[in-house]
Amino acid sequence: MAVLNGVNNKHEVVVAPMEVSVEAGNYQDAERFDDDGRPRRTGTFWTASAHIITAVIGSGVLSLAWAIAQLGWVAGPAAMLLFAFVTYYTATLLAECYRTGNPDTGKRNYTYMDAVRSNLGGAKVIFCGVIQYANLVGVAIGYTIASSISMRAIRRADCFHTNGHGDPCKSSSTPYMILFGVVQILFSQIPDFDQIWWLSIVAAVMSFTYSSIGLALGIAQTVSNGGFKGSLTGISIGADVTSTQKIWHTLQAFGDIAFAYSFSNILIEIQDTIKAPPPSESKVMQKATRLSVATTTVFYMLCGCMGYAAFGDNAPDNLLTGFGFYEPFWLLDIANVAIVVHLVGAYQVFCQPIFAFVERRANFAWPDSAFITKELRVGPFALSLFRLTWRTAFVCVTTVVAMLLPFFGNVVGFLGAVSFWPLTVYFPVEMYIKQRRVPRGSTKWICLQTLSVSCLIVSIAAAAGSIADVIDALKVYRPFSG
């Protein structure tokens, strides 16, 4: 049974599932529709894994060397392993909430908010929606900024190669943001998640490409140094780093790692692309999560640790755009092109839930409007005036905000820190407890609540570190200065 509703119950519309049987005389529809009457889903373990990897392995992997430099050889890798475990475990809990009741035949929850509504309800649905969509908008803005940095790095790498490292090779990121926005306007016309699987696969390949290049350059630099750099406790307090800065940067490093692993805010939407049982969608999603988190953790550990080994306390905030490396410049160009291509796909993976939410609400509010419902299909694109207008407006707004606040990456870090606890831990734990009827006060209940409270403390601390970084950026803020 499909449910399309607004915040208030009075807007709820229940659509009965389509009967598909020989007796009904419509058995051919079984090949075209799922049990909820929607077009048959075609997603698999591999496409789900590609979506997750595209979402998780962002260009942030290249900042992990800086994060480990703040924490040191002991706490840095330990923090990455800890966040990997927490993310994987809570994702398996969340995957079981895709269907309410029976894991094979229960009512589907098409979005994260639907799952919260079915299991928890009340004000928690609004809280979930605000946190989830604010985070997704922040990620869209952050990815616009990150792509422009990589595009500008390509020009700078060529400039350094031609004119020498003494040339500042300055350039504005604004034209690159506009170019990225134009590309996103085109790709945003792809109707839904299920039809961008090919874009996610391309983006996932690009992730491995630039991560591998960053890893190879880190290994080459370490060999050139004649050994590993760094210390057990990270950057030391001294003339360049005060004790206060050490604390803030340490907390920010936790936030960076937590945000790097976050994909729970789109997990249900990814799971809704998986074809019907058997096996159940939750089992396929858990398997895809296991592969994806294991794969990303290996890359995170290798890139972060080898970057720290290569540069020690001087690890740049981005191995490929911070110019820890200058040569070979053509290899840096390839890596940054791969980053840009990846971010094109990742932007769509994170924005599709926003697009779907707005369009569902519009279809419900104005079901007879030709402006909203009528569309013309051209290949993978389904063009409608409403989709063209509103999605284009969304991309334009995120692009303008990115140009206005070039330090917004720090704000995205804050959003990531704030959203880590509720979306990655709190809601999955609470929904699992409710769905599985875990007895209050039992050992399992206590362990789950302890995990939730511990992650809340980490989120608060990471948010504090990000706020301090934003305040520092505001001191030198100039609009359109990127």
Side-chain angles (χ1 to χ4, degrees), residues 11 13 15 61 68 77 91 100 106 138-139 164 177 211 213 221 273 301 345 359 364 374 376 395 407:
H11 293 303
V13 175
V15 180
V61 63
I68 293 181
T100 300
V139 169
M177 292 186 189
S211 297
I213 291 174
Q221 185 65 43
T273 67
M301 292 289 285
E359 285 155 23
F364 171 67
K374 190 174 181 179
L376 173 66
V395 174
F407 64 90

Side-chain angles (χ1 to χ4, degrees), residues 7 15 70 78 109 137 139 163 173 207 213 298 302 314 370 378 381 406 428-429 434 437 443:
V7 174
V15 180
Q70 313 310 309
N109 296 306
V137 172
V139 169
N163 302 329
S173 61
S207 298
I213 291 174
V298 169
L302 289 173
N314 295 319
V378 181
F381 302 101
V429 165
K434 182 73 175 292
R437 296 182 175 87
T443 301

Side-chain angles (χ1 to χ4, degrees), residues 1-5 13-18 34-39 41 97-100 106-118 132-133 193 265-273 281 352-353 356-357 360:
M1 181 170 60
V3 178
L4 176 63
N5 55 354
V13 175
V14 179
V15 180
M18 175 178 289
D34 275 330
D35 56 342
D36 58 349
R38 293 194 174 189
R41 296 158 177 83
C97 299
Y98 171 65
R99 287 184 184 264
T100 300
K107 184 184 77 66
R108 296 174 185 266
N109 296 306
Y110 303 117
T111 67
Y112 199 124
M113 283 183 66
D114 286 344
V116 174
R117 182 180 294 111
S118 296
Q132 180 188 12
Y133 292 112
F193 233 137
N265 49 356
I266 57 172
L267 185 145
I268 296 293
E269 285 82 352
I270 293 174
Q271 194 167 345
D272 191 45
T273 67
E281 297 94 348
Q352 283 294 334
F357 173 75
R360 280 197 308 270

